[in-house]
Amino acid sequence: MRSVIMLLLILPFISLTAIPPKHEIRGAWLTTNWRLDWPSTLVKDSVSADKQKRDLLKILDQLHFLNFNAVFLQVRLRNDVIYPSQKENWSNILTGKTGKSPGYDPLRFAIDECHKRGLDCHAWMVTIPIGNEQQVKEKGQYSITKTHPHLCQKVNNEWFLDPGQPETAQYLAEIAAELINNYDLDGIHLDYIRYPENGIFPDSRTKALYGKNQNLFDWRRENISRIVYSIYDTVKSLKPWVQVSSSLVGKYNDLATISSQGWNGYGKVMQDAKSWLKAGKQDFIVPMMYFKEAIFKPFMSDWKNDAGNRPVPGGLALYMLIEQNWPTETITNEINFCREINAGGQVFFRTEQLMKNTKSCSDSLKTGAYLYPALFPPMTWQDSIAPIKPLNFKVSQNGNLLIFTWDNSYVEKDPTFNIYYDLKRDINTDDSRHLLTCRLRECRYEMELPNDFRGDLFFCVTANDRYHNESVKSNVIKIRFLR
């Protein structure tokens, strides 16, 4: 990996009223359903397959440029997937035909390319919805309504898994297990992990079998929680460093002074997410905070107040820049508030606005809130032991390139590395402004000699393990720039 340092060398020393946090989740939901964000190209042959891949790389390049550190890639849509699976069928969003392979593994390709760019890749699973009548019909005999009809319920024109069926939790946990066993994922991200909001759910027979003596709503909340716990425990039993998270209805419940106006997770869709945090069954949650600051702040604070030591990055609505003509300042203010309460980051919906730079939102991030890189918050509840520091950090020169290298002598699985720099030898690695680059997966880094800096710079490297614990810094190198 190569970096060009020019004016960037001076930027860390510009005074800011608030230094961006070194640790926060900076994610984007990459929507594949209806081809909203990707893919725009259907695979018909090898040429179109290459175009589909290039389109994804453009997105990942942009997210990397904007100093994001996570991609939430929608891999399970409505009982169909974008990877070869023994459990469910290929989605038609890749080729235009349900069940048809695109000739490559999009998920493996995405993970590899994310990791090359220092981006974590989280597999975003739509859980309970199965699809409308047309979507079910397209899947034919492979639809879960045919293979597991006892797990399915219909509400109006839509089909759903029945959370009250104990096998539903097992089925979804098996999908998560297949993903974890077959891919080097950084996370499993659950969506629509709730009862449907439209219509009365026809589960009286299921309740008679499995919840006879319980209050209906308590029983339903318990059903959703059981699914979450089953997936979490399954993932952790296989690869404990893989993070499990969920996107949630933005309002947990009514607040003492503010009504949720009839739309909340707890009472409307049986989503008791605070109990998941209390039970330690989520590594972080992402409440979908798709409303403005007067409502955003109290409900975001409510999540943070009950999060314990887990991050609760706010889900921010870039699409509202278009749909409701929000000013970009609304998003900026919400980022600032998330940082003010130490929520742990932000996740944006949708990626399209970042690619189109809608209302200069990407420019605003790059020159402001995301001016410097950030590391993922460490999973101290899972593991808090830091890896050993990188050894034998050194530099060599090849033409106009400086080549940094260090020893690859790690017992930790798949470490990543971060390079820091400063004008003085005592490099402050707690300050995000001194991060030159981060989440490198090789023990080598190339940097072009700068044309606009003279003097001495000091460099060091640290290591992260899969739980995002960071080592102390290596030996420090001084480089004198004369040209």
Side-chain angles (χ1 to χ4, degrees), residues 4 34 56 63 114 192 218 255 264 299 326 344 427 457:
V4 179
W34 301 295
L56 180 58
L63 295 176
C114 280
Y192 283 94
D218 289 340
L255 303 181
N264 62 69
F299 282 101
W326 283 10
I427 302 172
L457 278 175

Side-chain angles (χ1 to χ4, degrees), residues 22 385-391 410 417-418 420 427 429-430 460-464 469-476:
K22 174 183 165 181
I385 301 173
I388 63 172
K389 68 180 181 181
L391 302 175
Y410 280 82
F417 303 96
N418 320 295
Y420 296 83
I427 302 172
T429 58
D430 292 326
C460 68
V461 62
T462 65
N464 279 98
N469 297 303
E470 188 177 17
S471 74
V472 297
K473 60 190 174 187
S474 69
N475 58 296
V476 176

Side-chain angles (χ1 to χ4, degrees), residues 55-72:
D55 289 345
L56 180 58
L57 296 184
K58 288 179 183 178
I59 295 173
L60 301 184
D61 284 342
Q62 176 72 344
L63 295 176
H64 171 64
F65 172 74
L66 294 175
N67 284 326
F68 278 68
N69 57 23
V71 175
F72 295 82

Side-chain angles (χ1 to χ4, degrees), residues 30-208:
L30 182 49
T31 312
T32 57
N33 203 22
W34 301 295
R35 303 187 186 91
L36 288 179
D37 293 324
W38 179 83
S40 58
T41 302
L42 292 177
V43 172
K44 303 297 183 182
D45 50 30
S46 61
V47 174
S48 53
D50 287 342
K51 173 66 164 58
Q52 190 175 90
K53 293 178 183 179
R54 289 196 304 272
D55 289 345
L56 180 58
L57 296 184
K58 288 179 183 178
I59 295 173
L60 301 184
D61 284 342
Q62 176 72 344
L63 295 176
H64 171 64
F65 172 74
L66 294 175
N67 284 326
F68 278 68
N69 57 23
V71 175
F72 295 82
L73 175 63
Q74 191 175 37
V75 301
R76 183 178 192 258
L77 293 77
R78 298 292 190 275
N79 183 211
D80 53 358
V81 296
I82 66 165
Y83 57 92
S85 170
Q86 297 298 313
K87 297 286 295 181
E88 298 192 314
N89 216 353
W90 283 104
S91 172
N92 64 7
I93 65 105
L94 297 164
T95 65
K97 295 182 180 179
T98 299
K100 184 178 179 181
S101 167
Y104 74 104
D105 186 338
L107 179 53
R108 192 171 306 282
F109 178 75
I111 293 170
D112 290 345
E113 296 298 332
C114 280
H115 288 171
K116 288 177 184 177
R117 292 159 176 79
L119 296 164
D120 277 11
C121 188
H122 295 241
W124 166 13
M125 292 173 49
V126 174
T127 54
I128 303 302
I130 295 170
N132 58 35
E133 285 282 14
Q134 180 61 33
Q135 291 170 315
V136 167
K137 184 178 179 181
E138 288 175 357
K139 296 177 183 67
Q141 63 178 330
Y142 297 103
S143 169
I144 194 172
T145 62
K146 301 295 185 183
T147 60
H148 298 75
H150 62 293
L151 299 185
C152 307
Q153 298 286 3
K154 187 179 179 183
V155 180
N156 298 325
N157 191 45
E158 299 282 336
W159 284 90
F160 300 88
L161 287 173
D162 185 347
Q165 287 283 353
E167 288 181 50
T168 295
Q170 178 184 344
Y171 181 85
L172 291 171
E174 288 173 354
I175 292 174
E178 181 182 55
L179 284 165
I180 295 303
N181 282 326
N182 293 339
Y183 296 97
D184 185 22
L185 285 161
D186 301 289
I188 295 289
H189 184 66
L190 310 178
D191 191 17
Y192 283 94
I193 186 70
R194 63 196 197 223
Y195 276 81
E197 58 267 23
N198 297 321
I200 299 173
F201 197 74
D203 58 356
S204 57
R205 183 174 180 276
T206 309
K207 186 179 185 303

Side-chain angles (χ1 to χ4, degrees), residues 378-387 465 467-470:
M379 299 168 61
T380 52
W381 54 91
Q382 194 81 54
D383 182 297
S384 59
I385 301 173
D465 62 19
Y467 301 95
H468 304 289
N469 297 303
E470 188 177 17

Side-chain angles (χ1 to χ4, degrees), residues 18-26 67 296 300 332-346 365 368-374 432:
I19 298 174
K22 174 183 165 181
H23 294 99
E24 68 176 357
I25 297 169
R26 297 178 182 174
N67 284 326
F296 179 95
M300 191 70 225
T332 301
N333 292 340
E334 291 181 347
I335 293 172
N336 290 337
F337 185 75
C338 285
R339 289 175 172 177
E340 179 184 326
I341 64 173
N342 194 27
Q346 309 84 40
L365 287 173
Y370 287 10
L371 179 59
Y372 307 107
S432 64

Side-chain angles (χ1 to χ4, degrees), residues 314-380:
L316 305 189
L318 285 181
Y319 74 97
M320 287 292 195
L321 298 175
I322 299 297
E323 289 198 7
Q324 293 191 14
N325 198 29
W326 283 10
T328 303
E329 288 74 16
T330 295
I331 301 297
T332 301
N333 292 340
E334 291 181 347
I335 293 172
N336 290 337
F337 185 75
C338 285
R339 289 175 172 177
E340 179 184 326
I341 64 173
N342 194 27
Q346 309 84 40
V347 181
F348 294 91
F349 186 82
R350 296 183 13 246
T351 301
E352 179 185 40
Q353 281 74 54
L354 294 169
M355 295 301 295
K356 292 182 176 179
N357 195 20
T358 302
K359 293 188 176 180
S360 299
C361 65
S362 296
D363 291 343
S364 176
L365 287 173
K366 182 62 177 178
T367 59
Y370 287 10
L371 179 59
Y372 307 107
L375 303 181
F376 239 73
M379 299 168 61
T380 52

